[in-house]
Amino acid sequence: MRESGILMHLSSLPGPYGIGSMGKSAYHFVDFLEKSGQAFWQILPLAPTGYGNSPYQSASSCAGNPYLIDLDTLAEEGLLTKAEIDSFPWGQDPLRVDFGALYESRFQVLKIACGRFVPGEDYWKFLEENRDWLPDYSLFMAIKNHFGGKPWLDWPQELRFRDPEALEKMRRTLEEEIRLQCFMQYEFMKQWQALRAYAAEKKVRIIGDVPIYVPMDSAEVWTEPELFQLDEDLYPVVVAGCPPDAFTADGQLWGNPIYRWQQHAATGYEWWIHRLRAAGKLYDVTRIDHFRAFESYWAVPYGDKTARGGAWVKGPGMDFLRAIRNALPDLDFIAEDLGFITPEVRQLQVDSGYPGMKVIEFAFDSREESDYLPHRYPVDSVCYTGTHDNVTVKQWFDEAAEEDVAFAKAYLGLNSEEGWVWGMIRGGMGSVSRLFVAQMQDYLELGKAGRMNFPGTLTNDNWTWRAEEGFDADALADRIYTMTCMYGRCPRRPEPEAEETEETEA
């Protein structure tokens, strides 16, 4: 079945409190997706943001981002007043997330709500169902806040090495902060489950992301350091990144600790199974970021200033993927197989059975034929105009080489009446890929200001884009719906019921 979807993070939705949330605008967007004939809403990770305000550098793989909790919903529940919410600053620009204002205000507001919260049966059930990660995460965050946000490597030695007596002392000392962390996770999950149930009613499925790596300053590394390549002092031996390429002369130095894959294999990949099972509770389909690292990964010596000194090291391959398939047979995955792809990586993607990704923006290098040209796509693939890490389509046309733009115009049959951006969207809609996904920014024909992230950089523009109020207008939904149906990607309509006649009744 041919389908399509739209990529847009919750944080990009409009709203009054500095960032998109799981409130009314999210429900309106689900309605917009239904009107547009879209079967999928693809979002970025829902985890708390970390270094560089990135949801891919989160302190937890299982936790939800408290910034996304809708404050108006808490007010409706009697946990906040509108006056209390409005008394805090939420940023000056409604089209940009102000993470500094959120950091200063959001937790103070949620602390007020937590003080009024009376735990009930649902809350205690939530704690029990999440006992495999929530106690460690809530303690981790409470200690981190106690020390002014310092990474755990800078904590006192007895806490770095998780001395049981020291941990128990902190649990008693930080009891109220731990309660706040548990409350925020409970409210996040309650609101998310309600939104996801609404999407399911509208026949809209959720595609989420699981970053392949976790950051050094995370509950996971602090809790189970033996699963990562760390030295006896708990510092990384090697860190993750990407080798130099045509875009980055020094490569990309991500800095995440790399897994000790032999240890994971010895446990039957238990940690990964737990992580992906948690993702399955949030999403209908999970996109596994940087899939190629399961075949081989770029390992950079810890302390290097660039990624140039790294080397390729073999990953766990099909042994890992078979374990995931056997343990989680009902979960659907997408392999993010972009970047430096070798025949071995391609074979692993094929053997996994997970559809790979095709990005139209990568197709029009006039110097050579590309695997990203739509006529070369396999059916079992996901076609994107571009991802959150790429330029918007309009920006691509504004900045690409003249000969590449000329190639795209000729290949796609672009014309001024339709518009170049919509012509590229048409190229993806018309491809043979089972699933087509476009960024919301592309449907809105936004240029550079609409870009979500520029990998390998730290700027105030990354992860901050927000849509204007009214972006999800019916006229735009109608235009998307028309194109979606033209290329056979609309949801199947129910057949009209046959009218009963005297003959059938007889």
Side-chain angles (χ1 to χ4, degrees), residues 334-380:
I334 296 171
E336 190 273 288
D337 55 348
L338 307 177
F340 178 63
I341 303 302
T342 63
E344 292 81 5
V345 176
R346 179 60 60 228
Q347 189 60 52
L348 183 66
Q349 180 263 315
V350 171
D351 292 344
S352 73
Y354 305 156
M357 292 175 54
K358 298 296 181 182
V359 177
I360 298 183
E361 286 182 354
F362 297 171
F364 302 107
D365 186 335
S366 57
R367 297 165 298 180
E368 59 184 5
E369 188 172 15
S370 167
D371 284 341
Y372 294 102
L373 287 166
H375 73 268
R376 304 191 72 183
Y377 294 174
V379 172
D380 195 20

Side-chain angles (χ1 to χ4, degrees), residues 40 205 208 283-288 328-334 354-355:
F40 287 94
R205 302 175 71 200
Y283 315 126
D284 298 296
V285 180
T286 300
R287 191 192 80 136
I288 302 178
L328 307 170
D330 297 327
L331 297 190
D332 293 328
F333 297 99
I334 296 171
Y354 305 156

Side-chain angles (χ1 to χ4, degrees), residues 113-162:
C114 181
R116 296 186 180 126
F117 174 68
V118 178
E121 183 179 344
D122 286 348
Y123 176 75
W124 301 117
K125 182 180 178 182
F126 171 79
L127 296 187
E128 175 63 22
E129 290 176 346
N130 294 278
R131 67 184 185 279
D132 54 346
W133 67 272
L134 186 55
D136 282 319
Y137 168 75
S138 58
L139 178 61
F140 174 84
M141 292 303 299
I143 297 174
K144 187 175 179 64
N145 292 335
H146 177 73
F147 288 114
K150 287 183 179 180
W152 66 266
L153 280 174
D154 294 338
W155 297 352
Q157 182 164 323
E158 64 271 20
L159 294 176
R160 286 179 57 209
F161 285 87
R162 294 178 57 83

Side-chain angles (χ1 to χ4, degrees), residues 203-221:
K203 302 295 190 293
V204 173
R205 302 175 71 200
I206 306 295
I207 302 174
D209 262 22
V210 168
I212 187 170
Y213 294 119
V214 296
M216 185 67 196
D217 190 29
S218 63
E220 280 87 353
V221 182

Side-chain angles (χ1 to χ4, degrees), residues 383-456:
C383 171
Y384 291 79
T385 47
T387 75
H388 63 280
D389 282 335
N390 305 134
V391 297
T392 66
V393 170
K394 184 179 186 303
Q395 186 182 359
W396 185 87
F397 280 110
D398 290 342
E399 299 178 357
E402 186 177 337
E403 55 271 25
D404 293 354
V405 171
F407 180 23
K409 288 181 179 179
Y411 181 94
L412 296 169
L414 303 182
N415 61 81
S416 57
E417 181 180 356
E418 177 185 41
W420 297 353
V421 172
W422 279 82
M424 186 174 281
I425 293 172
R426 170 172 49 79
M429 278 281 191
S431 73
V432 298
S433 296
R434 293 189 192 280
L435 176 60
F436 168 72
V437 178
Q439 289 196 93
M440 193 66 231
Q441 293 95 311
D442 292 335
Y443 281 119
L444 296 171
E445 300 183 74
L446 299 181
K448 185 177 182 179
R451 183 166 185 174
M452 192 64 171
N453 182 52
F454 195 104

